[in-house]
Amino acid sequence: MMIIAPTISEAAIGDRTLTNGSSGSDVAELQDYLMTKGVFPYHTSTGYYGDITEEAVEDFQRKRNLKVDGIAGPQTNHAAQVLRNGNIGKQVIQIQYQLKETGHYNSSIDGIYGSGTVSAIKSFQKQQGLAVDGIAGPNTRSALDSLAERGTAAGKTLTVESTAYTASCDGCSGVTKMGLDLKEYPDAKVIAVDPSVIPLGSIVKVEGYGVAIAADIGGGINGDSIDLFIPNRDDALQWGRKNVRVEIIE
């Protein structure tokens, strides 16, 4: 049986109410935001609003004390686009690039909205005469957009030392730093990275492995090294330790 992916039409999140069955670039953007907040439990945005997305929206609505109906209407879309301390992923990468371009952020682009990003946002807000709260809400995002393009880590290519891991090792929870449960989604293509080298949330092409998301970190992953998720233990052991070429594509 052939499964044909839906055509993704051009639209921005917030232009329309999104429900189960919707598709388009705005759905993919919503999924990216939900992934940033650790509630979209899949390994990549699809642009299709199915059961997984509906459940992720409900989870987000519960956490933000919104009406829990699984529908991404104006309130939910607005809340999803507000970035704050603890968020992780591509949307964070974008504002870190903008903050660096405007001279407010000097740390590495790591995709993690931590204390450094909070401080940079506050500095930017103060300069722009905005409410200084360290939260990247609509007014702050609009001001950033007017001054700098939203950057990505795309185009960076490097050779790294790779190892492999499974979700069932001793002491492993199976849940990545970005909230993806690898035991529930064993088909996920995921790598653990040093975020100062490969930002969390980046989509990467790994030689001999395929296209994956940088969605995890590890105590032994420092500098130019990565750890690949491979569900089968024997296959993970067979991968061993070897140098591979990695290209950040998104």
Side-chain angles (χ1 to χ4, degrees):
M1 179 178 69
M2 180 179 292
I3 299 175
I4 301 176
T7 300
I8 298 182
S9 59
E10 290 298 325
I13 181 175
D15 288 349
R16 59 179 176 141
T17 295
L18 303 173
T19 62
N20 200 324
S22 297
S23 63
S25 58
D26 49 354
V27 176
E29 187 178 3
L30 171 66
Q31 291 168 333
D32 281 340
Y33 274 110
L34 294 173
M35 198 182 303
T36 297
K37 298 169 191 307
V39 295
F40 184 62
Y42 206 53
H43 52 285
T44 186
S45 56
T46 64
Y48 178 71
Y49 200 120
D51 293 343
I52 290 173
T53 304
E54 183 175 28
E55 291 171 5
V57 167
E58 290 175 349
D59 189 8
F60 175 70
Q61 289 169 332
R62 275 190 292 270
K63 290 179 177 178
R64 292 303 303 274
N65 295 315
L66 300 170
K67 179 182 177 181
V68 180
D69 56 10
I71 297 172
Q75 280 191 314
T76 297
N77 285 327
H78 179 274
Q81 293 176 78
V82 175
L83 297 175
R84 62 185 68 217
N85 195 2
N87 291 167
I88 298 171
K90 288 192 293 183
Q91 301 295 338
V92 178
I93 294 171
Q94 291 176 1
I95 65 169
Q96 287 177 333
Y97 266 98
Q98 289 178 309
L99 290 166
K100 189 175 281 286
E101 286 294 310
T102 55
H104 294 273
Y105 185 73
N106 298 315
S107 301
S108 62
I109 307 295
D110 58 11
I112 303 172
Y113 202 123
S115 58
T117 304
V118 171
S119 295
I121 286 288
K122 286 182 176 180
S123 173
F124 176 77
Q125 290 169 330
K126 184 177 181 179
Q127 182 195 65
Q128 296 297 309
L130 300 169
V132 179
D133 57 9
I135 298 172
N139 292 337
T140 298
R141 296 297 299 274
S142 178
L144 281 168
D145 288 343
S146 70
L147 295 172
E149 293 290 328
R150 298 187 180 189
T152 72
K156 183 177 181 180
T157 302
L158 62 161
T159 298
V160 300
E161 182 181 64
S162 70
T163 51
Y165 71 104
T166 73
S168 302
C169 60
D170 291 339
C172 294
S173 68
V175 179
T176 71
K177 180 69 173 178
M178 289 184 67
L180 172 61
D181 188 342
L182 296 174
K183 293 179 180 177
E184 184 176 355
Y185 296 94
D187 63 329
K189 289 283 189 177
V190 168
I191 63 172
V193 299
D194 179 339
S196 67
V197 178
I198 301 176
L200 279 173
S202 299
I203 305 299
V204 299
K205 184 177 181 180
V206 182
E207 179 185 7
Y209 182 69
V211 176
I213 183 172
D216 208 359
I217 61 175
I221 309 302
N222 298 299
D224 293 344
S225 63
I226 62 173
D227 208 9
L228 314 173
F229 169 64
I230 297 178
N232 182 275
R233 182 177 180 275
D234 290 340
D235 291 340
L237 289 173
Q238 187 175 359
W239 180 273
R241 184 184 297 271
K242 56 186 173 183
N243 290 338
V244 295
R245 191 172 178 82
V246 173
E247 177 187 359
I248 301 178
I249 58 178
E250 185 181 341

